[in-house]
Amino acid sequence: MVMWVFGYGSLVWNPGFYYDEKVLGFIKGYKRVFDLACIDHRGTPEHPARTCTLEKDEEAICWGTAFCVRGGPEEERLAMEYLERRECEYDLKTCVDFYKEDDPLKPAVTGVMVFTSTPDKISNKYYLGPAPLEDMARQIATANGPCGNNRDYLFLLEKAMHDIGHEEDYVIELANEVRKVLAESSTKKVSPVKESRASRVANKSKSNVPTAHQILAHQPEAVATTI
């Protein structure tokens, strides 16, 4: 038996299971969106992360990586058990055609499995739905979970798409908006120190005792960092 799985989120850079072959390509009729909640990896039930799912769009294509498991029933079972634990927020498994760049008209593989989600907030508790870019960025910038923070998930996806030669405007735009949120947050944190410094410098002649702002002046200010 042969099992093919299409990865379009963290599976692109971190599959985490044994596979025999990895192929770069795309699927048709779907676009990548950050509309799915993650409450056990990069978020919590109180502050869910936003992670990728697929939304149907007849005009769209979605680049990613297809993984093939050929080892037999046991290897396929192990891979599926791992994927179902990892992708537990996805309530659907969809079969799609997978295309390679050198032949975009003829499927390279048919019947490729991809984890997707029902786009309905009532029947699917993990579906967040769309939101304004600024709101999504604030959520992604601040969500954290046992496996890391939400922003790194986005930044790593951005890098992975760059590395495979298929950057995505939507991912880049969202990542840049998250960086903007982080930069604004960093500015707010350091601004009280700057105000205190200005106030104390004005009274420098009143005391020869080094003040806290004079000590802090020799320390690097906090800046936002990304991966």
Side-chain angles (χ1 to χ4, degrees), residues 109-217:
V109 186
T110 60
V112 176
M113 181 180 66
V114 59
F115 286 84
T116 59
S117 55
T118 303
D120 183 88
K121 293 182 180 180
I122 297 176
S123 62
N124 182 3
K125 65 180 181 180
Y126 295 112
Y127 182 69
L128 297 173
L133 187 72
E134 297 80 4
D135 293 347
M136 289 196 297
R138 281 191 290 271
Q139 183 174 355
I140 291 171
T142 56
N144 293 275
C147 296
N149 59 57
N150 198 180
R151 59 183 178 271
D152 284 351
Y153 172 93
L154 172 59
F155 295 150
L156 287 168
L157 176 61
E158 180 189 35
K159 181 181 184 300
M161 299 309 295
H162 170 79
D163 290 346
I164 67 175
H166 291 282
E167 294 179 316
E168 189 171 301
D169 290 344
Y170 169 71
V171 173
I172 293 172
E173 184 180 11
L174 183 55
N176 285 337
E177 190 66 27
V178 171
R179 292 186 181 100
K180 179 180 175 182
V181 171
L182 294 172
E184 291 173 350
S185 175
S186 178
T187 301
K188 290 178 181 179
K189 288 180 180 179
V190 301
S191 59
V193 176
K194 292 181 178 179
E195 292 173 0
S196 176
R197 180 182 305 166
S199 173
R200 294 178 181 179
V201 165
N203 298 317
K204 182 178 180 180
S205 61
K206 295 182 180 181
S207 174
N208 292 324
V209 178
T211 58
H213 83 279
Q214 291 171 319
I215 298 172
L216 289 174

Side-chain angles (χ1 to χ4, degrees), residues 8-9 30-37 50-57 60-62 90 115-117 119 127-131 136 140 153-154 157 168 170-171 174:
Y8 56 90
Y30 292 92
K31 65 180 181 181
R32 196 179 348 247
V33 293
F34 276 76
D35 291 353
L36 193 69
R50 274 188 177 264
T51 53
C52 286
T53 186
L54 294 178
E55 180 180 292
K56 289 185 178 181
D57 183 337
I61 65 172
C62 180
Y90 298 84
F115 286 84
T116 59
S117 55
Y127 182 69
L128 297 173
M136 289 196 297
I140 291 171
Y153 172 93
L154 172 59
L157 176 61
E168 189 171 301
Y170 169 71
V171 173
L174 183 55

Side-chain angles (χ1 to χ4, degrees), residues 13-132:
W13 75 84
N14 180 31
F17 64 96
Y18 176 82
Y19 59 87
D20 296 284
E21 183 180 359
K22 179 175 72 173
V23 183
L24 170 66
F26 62 90
I27 61 174
K28 298 180 179 181
Y30 292 92
K31 65 180 181 181
R32 196 179 348 247
V33 293
F34 276 76
D35 291 353
L36 193 69
C38 177
I39 63 173
D40 57 355
H41 287 82
R42 294 183 181 269
T44 64
E46 296 76 23
H47 193 170
R50 274 188 177 264
T51 53
C52 286
T53 186
L54 294 178
E55 180 180 292
K56 289 185 178 181
D57 183 337
E58 292 184 1
E59 303 300 320
I61 65 172
C62 180
W63 284 91
T65 307
F67 301 92
C68 179
V69 178
R70 292 196 183 93
E74 180 63 14
E75 286 75 11
E76 181 178 334
R77 182 187 66 80
L78 292 173
M80 182 61 71
E81 286 182 354
Y82 169 80
L83 288 167
E84 287 182 336
R85 287 195 306 269
R86 174 171 166 169
E87 311 296 327
C88 58
E89 284 91 2
Y90 298 84
D91 62 331
L92 298 175
K93 299 182 187 74
T94 304
C95 288
V96 297
D97 292 337
F98 176 78
Y99 298 81
K100 295 170 65 175
E101 190 167 15
D102 58 3
D103 192 351
L105 299 179
K106 181 181 178 181
V109 186
T110 60
V112 176
M113 181 180 66
V114 59
F115 286 84
T116 59
S117 55
T118 303
D120 183 88
K121 293 182 180 180
I122 297 176
S123 62
N124 182 3
K125 65 180 181 180
Y126 295 112
Y127 182 69
L128 297 173

